[in-house]
Amino acid sequence: MALCFPRLALEARLRGCASPEAAGEPWAVVENRSVLVCSAAARAAGVRPGSALATAWALAPQLRILPRDPGAESEALEAIATWAGQFSDKVSLEPPQGVLLEAEGSLRLFGGIARLIARLRSGLVALGFEAQLATGPTPRAALWLARGGAETLPALPIESIDPPREALELLRTIGVRTLGELMRLPRASVAVRFGQALLDSLDRATGEAPEPRDFFRPAEHFRAQLELPAPASEAERVLFAARRLFVQMEGFLAARQAGVRACTLSLLHRRGQATRLELGFATARRDAEHALRLLRERLGAVGLASPAEAIHLEAATLVPLAGASQGLFGDARTEAEEWERLTERLQARLGGAQVHGLATHAEHRPERAWRAVAAGEKAGPADLPPGPRPLWLLEPPRRLDEADFVLLAGPERIEAGWWDGEDVVRDYFVAARGATLAWIYRAHEGWYLHGLFA
């Protein structure tokens, strides 16, 4: 399967904003003072690829131009290849505008070629790219079919095979307009007039000659950055751009059957330090929409101190995460996921340090016998001193005028804390007053109520 991106030069620069077609803005990427590719609004005004820049501005005075950035185009192709790894482990780059993947082994998993193409199209749109897709028995055939938009190789326009300019002009001169007409010419004459390289390409397309490919190998950890066409001071603009990166990360993680417990989104400003937003998850996740909801909560809590010029997303630690099927009816796993989503939203809104779990801690002083743990972390029980301990402790302990409780058990001497300067000497008792069962202690200063059993 071939994915061809004829407007990659423009899309690579405008991924961070809403579609220029949807906004109705005329955009163009220029190179050597001529239009390389333009948006639909620019085409509607009469601008065409190859138009001189002065002509383009005369036709569309509101035309907004960007210089070509080959580096951004290469990064965009690699981002697409990384994301496409969830559909096939054999993905290869075909610069400057193509990505190829071996899809035969994935058809059963994704429900056939039609469903696979539909998923690819919708996913690419979410990434910010519009592709021409085609399948073929060989990589070269699929690439040519994607470029030309024909259903068969013989029907392809001769320009689709991207021959050298001199060869293309000569082919047009002798009346060859389609690949089928070229294939009917004598091979010896084609080799003499157009070179052996053209015949070799034809043989690779038809399967007469092999075409070994170097498969793309993405990085071990996810890291991506998106430049914004204009500084963004509104949260919605940042969220739109961030969604592109979250979708890209989702594909990266799906290809590895992995998830993340946390990721960091940084807003880069023209001046000053970057604004780092830590997004934590109760369990390993890779869902782009869920991450976007958490980011919305974080942005609502911190706001934007200054306009963002670019956004950077990074996830360093990957956690194995196999796919799971949903139950037909609600089950314990579904309820647990709903609880985890609530926890994550509270952490995003209030801060990670404000929402956490509790675990026991090996410490004699009762007020120190607990520790905060990450939400969802399963911590084993610590070795605690023997004796009754109430679940509800008063902080700080309440001074009692007199011990008007009935002592039921005790004393239990707790004498500890010399190592950190908070030494305590207490005699604890289980006591009752009416229906209340309490935990009280006697110190040098008198009696104190420290906890309640019921």
Side-chain angles (χ1 to χ4, degrees):
M1 179 174 292
L3 315 176
C4 187
F5 304 91
R7 299 194 308 141
L8 184 67
L10 181 64
E11 292 167 339
R13 301 296 305 275
L14 295 180
R15 287 182 64 207
C17 68
S19 169
E21 280 74 12
E25 298 178 349
W27 285 87
V29 171
V30 299
E31 186 178 38
N32 298 326
R33 303 293 296 178
S34 66
V35 175
L36 183 67
V37 62
C38 58
S39 67
R43 289 195 301 270
V47 180
R48 295 291 182 269
S51 300
L53 182 56
T55 303
W57 265 329
L59 294 170
Q62 303 301 318
L63 181 67
R64 304 177 66 179
I65 65 169
L66 294 167
R68 186 180 186 184
D69 187 347
E73 295 172 35
S74 298
E75 291 177 4
L77 276 186
E78 291 181 2
I80 294 168
T82 299
W83 171 84
Q86 63 185 305
F87 302 102
S88 172
D89 61 344
K90 295 181 175 62
V91 180
S92 57
L93 302 178
E94 187 67 28
Q97 295 179 331
V99 173
L100 295 168
L101 59 147
E102 189 176 308
E104 181 70 26
S106 306
L107 295 184
R108 184 175 181 183
L109 175 63
F110 293 101
I113 190 65
R115 291 186 178 181
L116 177 58
I117 289 177
R119 287 195 58 174
L120 283 166
R121 287 190 187 280
S122 62
L124 289 169
V125 169
L127 278 176
F129 301 101
E130 187 175 335
Q132 297 174 185
L133 280 72
T135 59
T138 66
R140 186 71 43 188
L143 182 64
W144 288 355
L145 290 169
R147 286 176 181 168
E151 295 184 358
T152 62
L153 286 176
L156 277 175
I158 198 65
E159 296 84 1
S160 303
I161 69 173
D162 196 22
R165 180 177 300 177
E166 297 79 5
L168 179 59
E169 293 176 355
L170 182 54
L171 287 169
R172 289 173 175 171
T173 301
I174 64 177
V176 175
R177 295 290 184 270
T178 66
L179 186 58
E181 295 172 347
L182 174 61
M183 296 169 68
R184 288 194 292 270
L185 295 178
R187 290 179 60 88
S189 299
V190 172
V192 171
R193 291 191 173 189
F194 306 105
Q196 185 62 35
L198 183 58
L199 282 179
D200 293 342
S201 294
L202 289 174
D203 291 340
R204 295 188 186 101
T206 57
E208 298 294 330
E211 186 179 2
R213 302 199 64 85
D214 293 327
F215 294 118
F216 176 74
R217 289 291 177 264
E220 293 296 324
H221 307 292
F222 182 81
R223 184 181 293 108
Q225 184 166 314
L226 196 56
E227 302 289 336
L228 303 180
S233 55
E234 301 86 12
E236 287 302 320
R237 290 185 59 191
V238 173
L239 289 169
F240 182 91
R243 187 175 187 273
R244 308 281 204 202
L245 295 184
F246 285 138
V247 171
Q248 184 177 333
M249 183 176 71
E250 181 180 354
F252 171 88
L253 295 173
R256 287 158 180 74
Q257 297 187 14
V260 291
R261 289 290 303 271
C263 62
T264 303
L265 186 111
S266 301
L267 306 179
L268 309 182
H269 312 287
R270 178 170 298 179
R271 297 181 180 87
Q273 295 183 346
T275 302
R276 292 171 56 88
L277 302 176
E278 303 286 345
L279 301 180
F281 309 103
T283 58
R285 294 188 181 277
R286 60 172 174 254
D287 179 36
E289 294 301 326
H290 181 69
L292 191 68
R293 287 193 293 270
L294 292 186
L295 178 60
R296 188 183 298 274
E297 297 286 351
R298 291 286 285 126
L299 285 175
V302 303
L304 291 177
S306 61
E309 301 276 339
I311 58 175
H312 179 88
L313 180 62
E314 184 172 356
T317 305
L318 308 187
V319 181
L321 179 63
S325 58
Q326 296 290 334
L328 181 60
F329 304 104
D331 51 22
R333 182 175 60 200
T334 302
E335 295 175 0
E337 289 178 352
E338 292 177 353
W339 175 254
E340 290 163 2
R341 291 191 182 98
L342 174 61
T343 303
E344 291 164 359
R345 292 190 65 183
L346 288 173
Q347 287 179 322
R349 181 172 297 183
L350 304 176
Q354 306 301 321
V355 183
H356 55 78
L358 295 176
T360 53
H361 177 58
E363 167 66 59
H364 289 280
R365 291 167 292 184
E367 60 271 22
R368 299 289 188 88
W370 67 276
R371 60 189 177 93
V373 297
E377 178 183 337
K378 296 181 180 179
D383 294 330
L384 298 177
R389 294 290 186 274
L391 182 61
W392 184 4
L393 292 180
L394 278 67
E395 180 62 33
R398 185 188 305 168
R399 180 72 180 266
L400 299 175
D401 293 335
E402 59 182 13
D404 55 349
F405 287 83
V406 178
L407 303 181
L408 302 180
E412 177 190 351
R413 169 64 62 91
I414 295 180
E415 186 172 353
W418 55 267
W419 53 86
D420 60 10
E422 296 186 16
D423 194 10
V424 298
V425 179
R426 302 169 181 168
D427 291 325
Y428 279 89
F429 298 86
V430 178
R433 185 172 62 180
T436 301
L437 195 61
W439 203 41
I440 65 176
Y441 69 83
R442 180 176 56 197
H444 296 300
E445 300 83 4
W447 288 88
Y448 291 85
L449 173 63
H450 201 176
L452 297 173
F453 290 97

